[in-house]
Amino acid sequence: MEHILSFDIAKGKSVYCFVDENKNIIIEPTLINHNKKEFDALFNVVHKFDHLTVIMESTSVYHLPIENYFRSKGIETIVMNPKLVKQFKDTLNKSKTDKIDCFKIARCYLGTIDTLYQKNDAYFMLNPLARQYWSLIEGQTRLKNRYRQLIEIVFPKFNLIFDDIYSDLTLNFIHDFPHPVLFINRRTDYLMNYLKEKNGTTKAYRFRNKVLKMKEIASNSLCYVGFDSFQVQNLVQVIEMIQYHKQEINKLKEQLISNLKDTKLFKIINSIPGFGEFSTALFLAEVGNITRFDNKYQFISFIGIDSVTSQSGTSTYHGPISKTGCKFGRTILFNVVTTLIQISAHTDKNNPVYLFFRKKTIRR
C-alpha cells in the first residue's frame, strides 16, 4: 500500500499530513518548522511505512530545502504544479486553510498520479544552470537600462562615436574615459593605440578617423557634469557590473553546452534549423527529456502554446495561446522561430516555417 506524506509549504514552516492511498488519515495535519531536528523526528516516524511518497506544491524557492531533504534520504519526492492543485476539485467545500490545503495536495496527487512526471532526468539536472542564466539576463537588462540613462547624463554623444554602446570595445573605452574631458586633450596617436589594443588588431591607423570624430563631437557636446561627479562614478561602476555579468553568462553558456553536447537529444534538436548549440542546451535544461510526451499535443500543452478553446453546443471559440506551461521553453522557441524567419527572409525564402508565417501575415 502506498503512503503519502503531503506538505503545504510556507516560508520557514509547513503543515504536513500523512495518509494512505485510500485517503485514511495516519497523522493529522501538524505544523512543522523548517529545521533539521524536527524533520529528522518526522522522518524517523514515516520511513518505516512501505511505498512512501512525499508530495508538495512548487512554492517559489521555499519548497526546495524540503524537497532536497527527502531526496537525500532516498525518498520518492514529487513537486506538483500549483495550478494543477488549484484546479483540482473533489469537494464542494470552498474553505481554504493550511490543513485543508495539505489534504487537497494529497488527494490531488492520488487523483492525477498517472499524469505526473518527476523532473529527475539527466536534462532536468541542469535546470538550476538555466534558471541562473535567466536571472543574470534579467539583471543585465536592468543594468543596461541604467547604463543608457547615465550616458545621457554624462555624455549623450557617445552613441555617435560608437555604433554599439554595449560592445566590449565601447564598454572598455567608456570605463577608462567616462567623461569627455578625460580624452579630449589626449594625443591622437595615444587614443589610436588604445583602441587598437582593446580591439585586438595590429593596425592603429584604422582608428584615426574615429579618434578625430570623437574629439570633434566631445568639444561641441553639451556636457555640464563634472568628471569627478557621482554620475561619472556610477557610470564606471555600472560598466564593471555589466562586464562581470557578461563573463558569468558566457561561463553558464559554456557549462550548459559542455554537459549536454554529447547527448542524443542534443544532436537531434541541434540539427533543427534555427537551433544553435546554446539554444539547444538551454531548451533541454528547461523542458527535459521530450521523449516522455506521448504525442505533440502534450508537448504543446507543456510549453503553453495551445489555444484556449471555449465550446458550448454548436458554438466554438478558439482564443489566444494559454501561456500556462513552461514560459522559458516558450521564450526559447519564440527566439528560435524569430531568428529562423529573419534568416530565411534573406537566404531561403522557400523555408516552410518562413512560408507559413508569411502566409499568416498576408492574410491579416
Side-chain angles (χ1 to χ4, degrees):
M1 177 177 290
E2 186 170 10
H3 295 87
I4 314 300
L5 180 61
S6 174
F7 284 88
D8 181 58
I9 297 173
K11 182 179 179 180
K13 61 182 180 180
S14 301
V15 173
Y16 71 88
C17 64
F18 194 39
V19 299
D20 61 24
E21 63 184 25
N22 296 322
K23 302 179 184 178
N24 296 316
I25 300 174
I26 302 173
I27 299 178
E28 292 282 351
T30 306
L31 180 68
I32 183 171
N33 293 306
H34 293 180
N35 60 63
K36 187 175 183 298
K37 182 178 179 181
E38 293 191 28
F39 270 84
D40 284 343
L42 173 62
F43 177 75
N44 290 333
V45 173
V46 300
H47 85 280
K48 302 173 184 178
F49 291 83
D50 296 331
H51 305 294
L52 175 63
T53 303
V54 176
I55 309 297
M56 65 194 72
E57 282 183 298
S58 176
T59 314
S60 183
V61 296
Y62 302 130
H63 71 279
L64 293 176
I66 294 90
E67 177 188 1
N68 294 333
Y69 175 86
F70 285 103
R71 287 193 189 279
S72 69
K73 298 290 186 180
I75 304 299
E76 183 179 11
T77 305
I78 295 177
V79 180
M80 301 187 69
N81 190 323
K83 290 185 178 180
L84 180 64
V85 178
K86 184 177 180 179
Q87 294 171 357
F88 180 78
K89 297 178 181 179
D90 64 348
T91 175
L92 295 177
N93 189 345
K94 293 186 178 182
S95 300
K96 185 183 185 305
T97 66
D98 290 341
K99 292 183 178 181
I100 293 175
D101 287 347
C102 183
F103 282 121
K104 185 176 182 179
I105 293 169
R107 294 195 303 269
C108 179
Y109 165 73
L110 291 171
T112 59
I113 187 171
D114 295 332
T115 63
L116 293 177
Y117 174 75
Q118 298 184 55
K119 295 184 176 182
N120 57 0
D121 62 50
Y123 302 99
F124 269 128
M125 293 299 102
L126 297 174
N127 186 256
L129 292 180
R131 294 304 166 89
Q132 182 70 355
Y133 165 80
W134 293 114
S135 178
L136 288 176
I137 288 294
E138 183 180 351
Q140 187 79 315
T141 301
R142 290 197 297 269
L143 287 171
K144 286 183 176 180
N145 291 335
R146 178 60 176 159
Y147 169 62
R148 278 200 309 272
Q149 292 172 355
L150 289 169
I151 283 181
E152 289 297 321
I153 296 172
V154 175
F155 184 36
K157 300 297 183 180
F158 263 128
N159 62 334
L160 298 178
I161 299 172
F162 298 100
D163 296 329
D164 181 7
I165 63 172
Y166 302 114
S167 68
D168 291 335
L169 176 63
T170 307
L171 289 171
N172 286 326
F173 182 86
I174 299 179
H175 177 272
D176 294 341
F177 306 100
H179 193 279
V181 75
L182 298 176
F183 67 81
I184 195 170
N185 294 320
R186 291 276 188 174
R187 289 176 47 172
T188 301
D189 59 340
Y190 173 85
L191 293 174
M192 287 166 57
N193 283 302
Y194 174 90
L195 292 173
K196 180 202 73 172
E197 293 174 4
K198 293 297 181 180
N199 199 48
T201 62
T202 58
K203 308 293 183 180
Y205 69 86
R206 293 180 177 177
F207 296 99
R208 180 176 177 79
N209 290 335
K210 182 179 283 293
V211 170
L212 294 176
K213 179 182 177 182
M214 180 189 304
K215 288 191 170 188
E216 179 185 357
I217 293 174
S219 62
N220 294 318
S221 67
L222 190 65
C223 178
Y224 288 96
V225 175
F227 70 92
D228 57 349
S229 65
F230 288 123
Q231 288 95 330
V232 173
Q233 294 178 30
N234 292 342
L235 178 59
V236 172
Q237 184 182 45
V238 168
I239 289 173
E240 291 174 352
M241 294 172 69
I242 289 175
Q243 291 174 324
Y244 173 76
H245 270 68
K246 288 179 72 172
Q247 293 174 2
E248 294 302 310
I249 288 170
N250 289 333
K251 287 179 184 177
L252 285 173
K253 288 181 176 181
E254 293 173 1
Q255 199 171 355
L256 279 167
I257 293 171
S258 63
N259 279 279
L260 289 170
K261 67 185 303 182
D262 294 327
T263 61
K264 181 179 179 181
L265 285 178
F266 181 93
K267 296 174 182 177
I268 293 173
I269 295 177
N270 189 221
S271 66
I272 300 173
F275 272 97
E277 285 192 336
F278 175 63
S279 57
T280 301
L282 190 63
F283 182 76
L284 287 171
E286 287 292 348
V287 177
N289 188 349
I290 60 176
T291 61
R292 72 181 188 273
F293 298 109
D294 295 330
N295 52 62
K296 62 183 180 182
Y297 301 107
Q298 289 184 359
F299 171 73
I300 290 172
S301 179
F302 177 83
I303 292 294
I305 57 176
D306 53 321
S307 175
V308 176
T309 303
S310 177
Q311 183 178 19
S312 179
T314 59
S315 176
T316 303
Y317 168 74
H318 296 285
I321 61 174
S322 64
K323 294 185 180 181
T324 58
C326 176
K327 70 174 183 178
F328 295 116
R330 190 164 57 251
T331 299
I332 297 167
L333 282 183
F334 174 83
N335 292 335
V336 166
V337 173
T338 302
T339 302
L340 181 60
I341 292 172
Q342 291 174 344
I343 294 174
S344 299
H346 299 285
T347 61
D348 183 15
K349 293 189 177 181
N350 293 322
N351 183 285
V353 177
Y354 173 77
L355 292 175
F356 173 77
F357 281 97
R358 180 70 177 168
K359 186 185 297 183
K360 291 181 72 69
T361 304
I362 293 174
R363 285 178 180 176
R364 290 182 182 179

